Amino acid sequence: MRKSMKIPTQVMPVVSDPVRAKALIRLELGKPSSLLRSRMPNIKVFSGTSHPDLAQRIVDRLGIDLGKVVTKKFSNLETCVEIGESVRGEDVYIVQSGSGEINDNLMELLIMINACKIASASRVTAVIPCFPYARQDKKDKAGGDGEGTGHELPVSFTMKVNEWKFRSRAPISAKLVANMLSVAGADHIITMDLHASQIQGFFDIPVDNLYAEPAVLKWIKENIIEWRNSIIVSPDAGGAKRVTSIADRLNVEFALIHKERKKANEVASMVLVGDVKDRVAILVDDMADTCGTICHAAEKLLEAGATKVYAILTHGIFSGPAISRINNACFEAVVVTNTIPQEQHMKDCPRIQCIDVSMMFAEAVRRTHNGESVSYLFSNVPY
């Protein structure tokens, strides 16, 4: 009898995941392994002109190249945007912060979103580290120094007592910006430390509001030696929730400063609620524009017996007299994140230090692209 010939067979690896098993079988049979391809479209990240450094840091973290885009202005100052590569079926992310020439940058962002959308992009996400017009989130009185809006008005601005009724005709500009982004074609928004978290409700599309708190906690523990003997202070009553959260995470006490305003254009009196004597005071706020409030708060804290005063801010706008006020103030350091470009501010003021939050935005982009949860970033810094 003829001996049966044994046909050599290739041993397949044992794989518990059925999807990977099928893919390996196809590879062995020499068939194209399309099953391994991602269910989501490829990713493209584009940068506006407001903060190209942050966009470059994000793509470096993701291990991809920045998308090609040309932005220019015509002689009549109209904005022109040309997307330099195909975005058909792609998952597009556009990085543009609300800083610098805010109106021009906002219009540029809207045009870029629309350009990608009508070029058949699968999804367009606007990554807006500092959301523009976030302080105009409700109808409010226009105080003498912009209290209520967070803006400081010119000294020449005066308002009579019987003119307070005009607040009923104030715009809610943050809602208008939300509508503009939606109409332009944005499918998703990623931002950080909204001035009022309720702004997320202005949108009919998903909004991921990231928090700088994990990065702030990391900076405090690494750079303030006496942080265990510190007290977290809010410069106004509106930031009480923010400072209590940080104080709880550090297991230290907190305080707040209550501002009282007698009438328009009169400097507010400040009342410190809490004991800061012989402690390191850490002022925490979401943004600082002209820095009048935090500089007055720092003086109040030193008068109350604080040994050192730090200020930690998410969005360092630093417009008008802000830099000169910080230079003349008593801060050990004024710490901001790079949601807004800070290179020039750091040159003009040695006290300003910067926390890089590009890794948080990069991780948010990666998780969004892969359909993963973003809530991990609310309490952790990705490494």
Side-chain angles (χ1 to χ4, degrees):
M1 295 180 59
R2 292 178 59 189
K3 293 183 180 180
S4 58
M5 294 181 61
K6 292 184 179 180
I7 301 175
T9 57
Q10 191 171 358
V11 179
M12 291 289 296
V14 178
V15 182
S16 58
D17 187 351
V19 175
R20 290 185 61 199
K22 290 180 181 178
L24 286 169
I25 291 171
R26 290 191 178 184
L27 283 170
E28 294 296 328
L29 296 177
K31 296 180 179 179
S33 57
S34 59
L35 195 65
L36 271 181
R37 292 182 182 176
S38 175
R39 297 175 185 175
M40 298 184 66
N42 293 330
I43 185 172
K44 290 285 178 69
V45 179
F46 296 97
S47 173
T49 57
S50 68
H51 203 345
D53 177 65
L54 179 63
Q56 187 63 53
R57 288 171 181 265
I58 290 173
V59 295
D60 288 345
R61 171 89 180 188
L62 293 172
I64 60 176
D65 294 326
L66 203 58
K68 297 176 183 177
V69 59
V70 178
T71 305
K72 56 188 178 182
K73 287 188 177 180
F74 294 121
S75 58
N76 63 350
L77 300 183
E78 285 184 359
T79 300
C80 175
V81 174
E82 297 175 359
I83 306 298
E85 53 191 85
S86 174
V87 295
R88 183 176 296 275
E90 304 280 358
D91 190 12
V92 175
Y93 295 83
I94 302 172
V95 182
Q96 182 82 313
S97 192
S99 60
E101 298 178 354
I102 292 179
N103 295 330
D104 285 349
N105 291 336
L106 176 59
M107 196 66 204
E108 181 183 292
L109 173 61
L110 297 172
I111 294 173
M112 290 180 72
I113 291 171
N114 188 252
C116 292
K117 200 65 181 178
I118 62 177
S120 301
S122 175
R123 178 175 61 178
V124 179
T125 298
V127 181
I128 312 174
C130 181
F131 193 84
Y133 290 91
R135 287 175 285 182
Q136 299 183 44
D137 61 320
K138 60 183 179 295
K139 291 187 177 183
D140 204 351
K141 62 184 180 182
D145 68 348
E147 185 183 19
T149 63
H151 295 282
E152 180 166 315
L153 301 175
V155 178
S156 59
F157 181 89
T158 58
M159 182 174 286
K160 299 178 181 178
V161 176
N162 63 354
E163 290 177 343
W164 291 107
K165 59 186 179 182
F166 292 147
R167 65 180 180 269
S168 65
R169 289 189 283 277
I172 305 179
S173 304
K175 170 63 175 173
L176 174 61
V177 173
N179 289 341
M180 292 165 68
L181 289 166
S182 298
V183 171
D187 300 298
H188 181 212
I189 305 293
I190 298 176
T191 186
M192 177 171 278
D193 274 2
L194 284 171
H195 186 64
S197 58
Q198 297 89 330
I199 293 176
Q200 295 175 84
F202 292 173
F203 289 87
D204 294 324
I205 57 177
V207 178
D208 284 321
N209 181 29
L210 306 179
Y211 299 102
E213 179 181 309
V216 168
L217 291 168
K218 183 173 179 286
W219 189 92
I220 291 174
K221 291 178 179 179
E222 292 178 353
N223 295 275
I224 301 179
I225 299 173
E226 317 97 312
W227 67 267
R228 288 182 176 84
N229 186 39
S230 65
I231 184 167
I232 312 300
V233 186
S234 173
D236 53 49
K241 187 175 181 181
R242 185 180 300 108
V243 300
T244 54
S245 176
I246 293 176
D248 289 344
R249 296 279 298 275
L250 292 174
N251 196 25
V252 298
E253 295 184 6
F254 70 92
L256 61 87
I257 294 174
H258 175 64
K259 292 189 296 184
E260 291 183 350
R261 188 171 300 282
K262 303 293 183 182
K263 60 181 180 180
N265 282 339
E266 183 174 308
V267 176
S269 62
M270 289 186 167
V271 179
L272 175 63
V273 182
D275 182 17
V276 300
K277 186 174 178 59
D278 298 327
R279 294 186 180 182
V280 176
I282 304 175
L283 277 165
V284 177
D285 207 355
D286 66 322
M287 66 172 59
D289 193 348
T290 55
C291 294
T293 299
I294 63 166
C295 289
H296 282 114
E299 293 174 5
K300 187 73 177 178
L301 291 169
L302 285 181
E303 291 172 4
T307 57
K308 295 179 182 178
V309 180
Y310 292 84
I312 301 182
L313 317 158
T314 304
H315 310 298
I317 300 172
F318 301 142
S319 64
I323 298 298
S324 61
R325 284 176 174 174
I326 294 174
N327 282 325
N328 296 325
C330 50
F331 294 109
E332 293 291 319
V334 176
V335 183
V336 295
T337 70
N338 60 340
T339 57
I340 292 173
Q342 299 295 341
E343 290 81 4
Q344 189 59 46
H345 296 152
M346 293 171 71
K347 289 179 183 178
D348 296 337
C349 180
R351 285 197 176 106
I352 296 176
Q353 299 182 30
C354 189
I355 299 174
D356 183 16
V357 292
S358 62
M359 79 289 287
M360 302 190 74
F361 284 103
E363 184 65 9
V365 169
R366 189 194 68 79
R367 286 172 174 264
T368 301
H369 177 67
N370 293 330
E372 301 174 17
S373 172
V374 179
S375 58
Y376 170 84
L377 300 174
F378 297 165
S379 55
N380 297 278
V381 178
Y383 291 95

